[in-house]
Amino acid sequence: MADSQDAVPEVPLALVSNQYYETKIAQMRNRPVPWEGYQRANLITSEQLDLIQRIDNKSPQVIKELADERGDTYANLYLQILDTLNRPDTIQHVLLLIEDFLTDHEENVQYFHHASGNKPTYPYGPLFNELKYAHPPFFFSSNRHLRVNDDIVPLQASKILTIFASSAPSPSMVDLSPYFNWIATQVQSEDLRIVDLAVQELESILRVREYRLPFWETPKAAESLIHVLRRTSPGPQMQYQVIFCIWLLTFDAQIASTINRQYDIIPLLIDIAKSALKEKVIRVVIASFRNLVEKQPESNLAAMLVAKLLPFTENLSTRKWSDNDIVEDIDYLKAELEENFHSLSTFEEYSSEVETGKLTWSPPHKSEVFWKENAQRLNEQDYRLLRILARLLSTSQSPLVLSVAAHDIGQYVKYSNKDAKKIVQEIGAKQRIMELMTHEDQDVRYQALSAVQKYMTNAWEF
């Protein structure tokens, strides 16, 4: 999986399905729809009724012939009916007609894109509008097809939206925010069958580079996707699908620069790869790491070294692999990590460790020379590292992390400038360290007491 947009595999547009979905579709295929009644009520015209009767419940061959003959007409018809009719069973059936129209004939999607010439909101408008309220797990949009009181309708609508968006002539002009918000909600579902469908849709949609950053910037979207990997047992196939999405996202340099800082993705993926039984899971993890290094080495290499990726790649390089791509990616990562291992400064190592939140008694923490040289650097970027340490003191349940964080703040106070005590108090660290003096763990108590003593030195205001 080399670094090239051309390396992103073509994902069939209609590759969104599982047994749950197919069972639902099969159950609704033979339900009658009162088309004649709609015509008598002037909800559809006699011409529209004739068009529907020609194609409804017909063989794939007949559907293909009608699409070839009157593709634009049928695309407009389906979109108009979705705009007009409200009954859930009718909406289901029209969405099924659209799906049948596109199945095995992805080229027919062009007719739906042509419809934008008749109405600017087509082809997306009938499937979603501006979001106004949420009604989980499916009913998330003001548009009835993403909120109607039937769980199959939003799944049908989102699948069709995936096909439309994946084939858009000008993806940069398509606003998929309602769709991405809906996806972000579905990947939080307790029903893994629904999560599976939503992730499949992302596998298709994220292959289009223009959609990656909008998805990333959707509130809770990336967080919810990555959280799937932290569930108790997502299974190897689900792991692969989610990490495949992460791999696609990391082709974007902006995402590659922040994904680990925001979601601690590097140690998570290493842990998954270490326990993976399927080669394809390891392959997509390593491919994701390669993207991170190629796109944003300065943001990721130090974190990879802190997370002990180098010895892991050394181990992987001794194994037999069926795929040459994984061998190439492992060798690339191993070479980059070895080169940077020797040039990584002690402070970069320390900074990466703090950012992960997984503090240990690594050499920088106990080195007086390190603190004399680097304590002032905790003031950089509006005290970013110092604030992380303060947050760990308040949120971590690990005695080891609490001990190291308390120790480091004490060293900062000891070796930084005269404003250090004031800053520590302003960010809430002083009060928390004092509370830790009564912690149940002996080392936490000791490090907290030691930090307080450093604070009190020549600090009568304490």
Side-chain angles (χ1 to χ4, degrees), residues 356-370:
T356 68
K358 298 179 179 179
L359 304 181
T360 63
W361 288 115
S362 55
H365 298 282
K366 293 195 170 185
S367 168
E368 296 295 322
V369 173
F370 171 82

Side-chain angles (χ1 to χ4, degrees), residues 77 103 251 371 389 408 423:
L77 170 66
T103 299
F251 276 97
W371 286 107
L389 290 171
D408 286 5
I423 298 301

Side-chain angles (χ1 to χ4, degrees), residues 14 18-20 75-76 104-105 126 154 164 167 199 215 235 243 264 269 271 296-297 299 320 343 416 449:
N18 60 19
Q19 188 61 48
Y20 171 78
N76 277 285
D104 298 327
H105 293 285
F164 287 173
S167 59
V199 172
F215 171 79
I243 300 171
D264 205 18
L269 294 184
D271 287 345
Q296 291 289 342
S299 299
K320 299 291 184 182
S343 62
S416 190
L449 175 61

